[in-house]
Amino acid sequence: MAITKQYLKTKPICKVTFTVPAKEAKKVTVVGDFNNWEGEKSTLKKLKNGTFKGTFDLPKENAFEFKYIIDGDYVNESEADRYQWNDYAGSENAVLEL
């Protein structure tokens, strides 16, 4: 898994690309604070090599908790900036710091 960040000079936005290698998966979404934990609008596109990828414009100078949903299972990003305990979920969430 990987996250790349591209900061725009002309706007207070960071283009964040999420990449998830999941050849056997049928659907991968990313959910978090930035989309109210709703994956309908954040489904990653499956590439020919079996990797799922998607880019989102997120506001700079923020921190967002998030997780991937891979075929219904919640999975943390291994390369997250840090992790934050979530009492509601009873587990840690990955954190993206922009």
Side-chain angles (χ1 to χ4, degrees):
M1 290 184 252
I3 299 173
T4 55
K5 303 172 188 175
Q6 179 185 8
Y7 292 93
L8 301 183
K9 292 180 181 178
T10 57
K11 296 180 183 177
I13 289 175
C14 180
K15 289 188 171 288
V16 179
T17 301
F18 298 94
T19 306
V20 180
K23 290 182 180 182
E24 304 300 319
K26 294 180 179 158
K27 183 177 180 182
V28 176
T29 58
V30 59
V31 295
D33 294 338
F34 52 86
N35 63 5
N36 292 325
W37 296 90
E38 296 177 11
E40 292 177 21
K41 296 180 182 175
S42 58
T43 299
L44 304 183
K45 182 179 179 182
K46 188 169 189 176
L47 305 178
K48 289 181 181 180
N49 67 2
T51 299
F52 287 80
K53 194 171 191 177
T55 302
F56 302 91
D57 293 344
L58 300 177
K60 290 195 293 191
E61 299 178 10
N62 284 286
F64 300 100
E65 290 185 33
F66 74 99
K67 283 195 175 203
Y68 298 115
I69 303 176
I70 302 174
D71 288 342
D73 294 326
Y74 286 84
V75 178
N76 265 333
E77 167 62 59
S78 58
E79 296 182 17
D81 294 321
R82 63 183 173 88
Y83 298 94
Q84 177 70 42
W85 181 259
N86 182 303
D87 285 332
Y88 180 77
S91 66
E92 288 185 328
N93 289 333
V95 177
L96 177 66
E97 294 181 342
L98 303 178

